[in-house]
Every structure is written in C-alpha cells, then in structure tokens.
Amino acid sequence: MRELGQVLLDSPAALASYDEQSYLSRPRLSQQLDSVGQSGNQTGFIRIWLASAPSGSGKTAMACHAVSRWLNGSSHHGEMTMVALSSEILAAQGSIICWWEQKFGESLIDSCKTALEEQAVIRLFIDGLDRLSNPNIIVDNLITIFANHAVQQALRVVLTATEAVADQMFELMVRKGMRDIINRWSIPPLSPTEARELFVRLHPSASDAQLGKEVETLLTSPLLVRLAQVLGESETTVGITPGRLLRAHADRTVLIDPVRSHLALKIVSHILKSERKSIALDTLLEDGSLRGILLTSGVQSPLQQLIQEHVLLLDRAPTPNGLPLPSKTMVSFAFDAQLDYLAFAHLAVQFGIHPPNWSDELKGRKPFGPLIGGLRVFVVETL
C-alpha cells in the first residue's frame, strides 16, 4: 500500500495540485481530517465524511497531504490512507469497488476483514465526485460495502466534490437510508492571513507589494493564490476580480502562443459538445485542425507545454471489458476553474457580450459543469 501511496503522489494529477514543501497546513482542516479514522464515542457511527468546496479550494491537495502524512509516519498508529482520483475511478467503470480490486487484487471487503484482524483502519479518499459521469454509482457501492460488518469497523471514507454535487450526493444518501453514518463539512475559504502565508510559500521571490488589501480578500482558494504571481507584473490590481486573475494566468500559459490557444480552446469546444470533462485523444485526432498539433513530438510540442504548465492532464483509461487491450489516452484540464474560464472565453466568441444573447443561446441546454462555470464567470464579470 505504501508503494501505491508514493505512486499517487508522483502522478500528474497529484503533482498539479500538491507540493509537500509549499502545502499550507490549516489547523481547522487538520482537526477535521484527524477525526476521520477515530472511532468510538469520538465520532459515533460516522463512517462517511462528505467534504465540499468550490473548484481550486485544495480538495485534491488535502487528500494527497493525508497520504503524505501517512507515508511519513505522522498519522495515527494502525491507520492506512489511500486516495482514489476521479480519473482512476472513471477508468474502473466509475466504481470504487472495481477500482479497489484493480489496485489491490482483492475485494475491498476482504481488505477490510484483514484490517479488522490487524486492528487497523483504512482511510479512503474518493476525490472529485463532480468529475465522474455518474457519481450515483459510488453511492450504490457504499451502500453495498457498508452492509458488511468488517467494513463498518475498518473503513472510513472521505468524499470530495464541489458544493452543488455534494448537495446532490448528500440528498441521495439520505434518501437511501445512510443519514446516520454521514458527516458533512465544508473546506473553509482562506483567510487573508492564510492567503498571504501561502503566497509567500509559493512565490518566495515575488514582490510583497503585489498583495494589497483588495487582492488579499480575493484570494480565498489555493488555486487563486497560485495564480496571483502574475499580479504586479503585467496586471494592475485595481478592480481585480477572479475572472481577471484567471485571464492573466491564461495569458501566460495558454493564450501566449496562438497554437497552444487554438489547441486548448478546441479541447474546450469538444468538452462542451460531448458534455464530458475527459476527452479521448483518439476523438481529438479526428479533428483535422488538431491532428498535426497533437502529433507533434518533443518537449516543445504544444500539448507537452500545456501539460508542463499544469493546464492539461493525460490519463490512461483501461478498457472496461477486462481484456488486455491497449488503454485509451484521455485528455482533461487540471483545474475546473481554468476550464470554466476557457469555456467562458469560448462561449463569449460564440454568443457575444450581451446577456440576452447568452440567455437565448443557453435556453434548453442540459446543465453541465463547465457550461455552468463559463456562465458564472460571465455573470460575475458582467455584474
């Protein structure tokens, strides 16, 4: 298990979100995480913790930090910590039961029986429910496994999602009779003091003058703090908004090069059209305007540059039928907030800048995360 924990921390998705040296440990959040794994009177019969926060709030980093603490021996004795990333769950037919069996070669119930015999506890983070095509499968999985006595005693589950999806999952679990084993909490936004401390950790050589009061109050999530280095260089902080901050970052990573810009915005177009946050590379290669760009090799290729800038992620998705067929390469954005901004930029070209046009064009469209995110950026920036 420890080897798999290190593999997780070395994965592209983890590296895009978490760095042990710069991670800001927040006392309140640490206390909440420390309660996961405790038993008896301290947590009653709570077995599932549903943590919600907006995109970029550090949900994946929180899970990775829990694994890092376990690997370093800083967590409770007799406790094992594992993280199932959404990309990995998608590759396992959207099922946490299948994911566990693929990872460990035995059922999750059998692993819990072994843990119970050893008087150990398994902490399992299921990260990014909002990125799954059908998160209801996870709820059905949890109902199935928690019917087992060994699982009830040995397993603690932390689910992370954006607030809207967390609301849906909580209501669904309550309807299915799981209310007594769920504890719901939100990852709190960064305070101005925490934002400044994290900024210094991430950008020790940056000018302190960049963080005026109007910027400190804006930086409520670790992602926005990470992007804030662009301020004070080419951007003025007067009237700063999250949309302007995301645009300033996109100017540096995506829009700085016309080929990179074309590639990223076309991927956004395919995501909005398919209503899936991950797109198969084979699908993108069918687009004649992308084929030459995607097949360019070397570290200076547009695709590799966007990966190095932590804009895009490449994941391998095994075939769902169990046959030893080649896995598919899937392309997705590292952070939802980046995807939301680029969705806004793409839609603004199509719809223009007048709200009635957006209302007419989006009427009847199926709700979809990046579509809603792009609309949110437009509404906030318009107001």
Side-chain angles (χ1 to χ4, degrees):
M1 278 194 173
R2 289 185 177 275
E3 292 179 357
L4 290 174
Q6 190 58 54
V7 168
L8 164 81
L9 295 181
D10 292 337
S11 68
L15 293 173
S17 302
Y18 176 70
D19 176 70
E20 184 178 5
Q21 302 304 316
S22 61
Y23 184 79
L24 178 64
S25 183
R26 303 162 65 189
R28 178 183 166 188
L29 194 54
S30 296
Q31 291 173 2
Q32 289 172 321
L33 286 177
D34 286 343
S35 70
V36 179
Q38 297 176 5
S39 58
N41 294 329
Q42 292 166 306
T43 60
F45 195 64
I46 299 298
R47 295 296 180 266
I48 301 172
W49 284 256
L50 179 55
S52 61
S55 171
S57 296
K59 299 184 290 295
T60 301
M62 174 189 72
C64 291
H65 185 62
V67 172
S68 178
R69 289 187 64 203
W70 171 57
L71 293 177
N72 294 332
S74 302
S75 58
H76 296 295
H77 177 70
E79 185 178 281
M80 297 171 289
T81 303
M82 294 303 300
V83 176
L85 298 172
S86 58
S87 57
E88 297 177 333
I89 298 173
L90 283 169
Q93 305 175 51
S95 166
I96 192 62
I97 294 175
C98 292
W99 175 84
W100 189 275
E101 290 178 350
Q102 289 180 3
K103 279 285 187 187
F104 303 106
E106 66 177 10
S107 71
L108 180 51
I109 291 177
D110 286 342
S111 295
C112 288
K113 289 179 179 178
T114 302
L116 185 58
E117 292 172 358
E118 299 293 331
Q119 297 184 327
V121 170
I122 299 173
R123 287 201 307 173
L124 174 60
F125 287 78
I126 303 177
D127 182 56
L129 290 180
D130 49 289
R131 286 177 168 261
L132 300 179
S133 55
N134 186 7
N136 293 7
I137 295 175
I138 299 297
V139 176
D140 292 337
N141 288 166
L142 294 175
I143 292 173
T144 299
I145 61 176
F146 273 106
N148 182 274
H149 173 74
V151 174
Q152 295 172 11
Q153 298 301 312
L155 182 65
R156 307 293 182 265
V157 176
V158 180
L159 306 170
T160 71
T162 55
E163 291 154 316
V165 172
D167 288 340
Q168 296 170 10
M169 291 300 97
F170 182 75
E171 292 174 4
L172 179 60
M173 287 189 281
V174 169
R175 287 202 306 269
K176 296 200 173 188
M178 303 179 73
R179 179 64 184 91
D180 291 340
I181 67 171
I182 306 169
N183 181 16
R184 177 141 187 216
W185 45 270
S186 298
I187 298 177
L190 294 174
S191 68
T193 300
E194 290 172 332
R196 180 175 289 278
E197 182 179 349
L198 181 56
F199 182 84
V200 171
R201 288 181 178 224
L202 291 171
H203 315 301
S205 61
S207 169
D208 188 63
Q210 291 174 215
L211 286 185
K213 291 297 182 184
E214 75 281 4
V215 179
E216 279 187 347
T217 57
L218 167 70
L219 303 181
T220 56
S221 73
L223 178 61
L224 291 176
V225 175
R226 179 182 297 188
L227 304 186
Q229 187 178 17
V230 299
L231 300 178
E233 297 176 9
S234 59
E235 286 286 312
T236 173
T237 60
V238 177
I240 189 67
T241 64
R244 274 189 53 201
L245 188 53
L246 288 166
R247 194 214 68 207
H249 182 261
D251 282 343
R252 280 189 158 202
T253 58
V254 178
L255 308 178
I256 189 173
D257 177 79
V259 180
R260 270 197 254 177
S261 177
H262 174 76
L263 174 58
L265 291 173
K266 287 291 286 187
I267 293 174
V268 169
S269 175
H270 281 277
I271 286 174
L272 293 175
K273 184 177 179 180
S274 66
E275 296 183 348
R276 297 181 65 89
K277 288 186 177 181
S278 296
I279 301 293
L281 182 60
D282 290 346
T283 301
L284 297 176
L285 288 171
E286 294 173 0
D287 187 328
S289 69
L290 295 182
R291 191 175 303 115
I293 300 173
L294 292 170
L295 293 178
T296 302
S297 61
V299 294
Q300 296 303 315
S301 70
L303 179 60
Q304 286 300 320
Q305 289 176 336
L306 290 173
I307 293 171
Q308 292 167 8
E309 294 282 358
H310 300 309
V311 175
L312 295 179
L313 293 174
L314 289 185
D315 291 300
R316 306 292 293 182
T319 54
N321 51 29
L323 294 175
L325 297 172
S327 58
K328 283 188 175 182
T329 300
M330 306 297 293
V331 182
S332 61
F333 280 83
F335 298 104
D336 285 346
Q338 293 174 322
L339 174 56
D340 292 347
Y341 172 76
L342 292 174
F344 155 73
H346 172 76
L347 294 172
V349 172
Q350 288 187 313
F351 304 160
I353 61 173
H354 301 295
N357 293 350
W358 283 66
S359 178
D360 292 341
E361 293 289 346
L362 295 177
K363 188 177 298 182
R365 292 281 291 270
K366 179 182 176 182
F368 175 54
L371 189 65
I372 296 172
L375 177 60
R376 183 187 299 113
V377 174
F378 175 71
V379 170
V380 170
E381 296 303 312
T382 300
L383 296 178

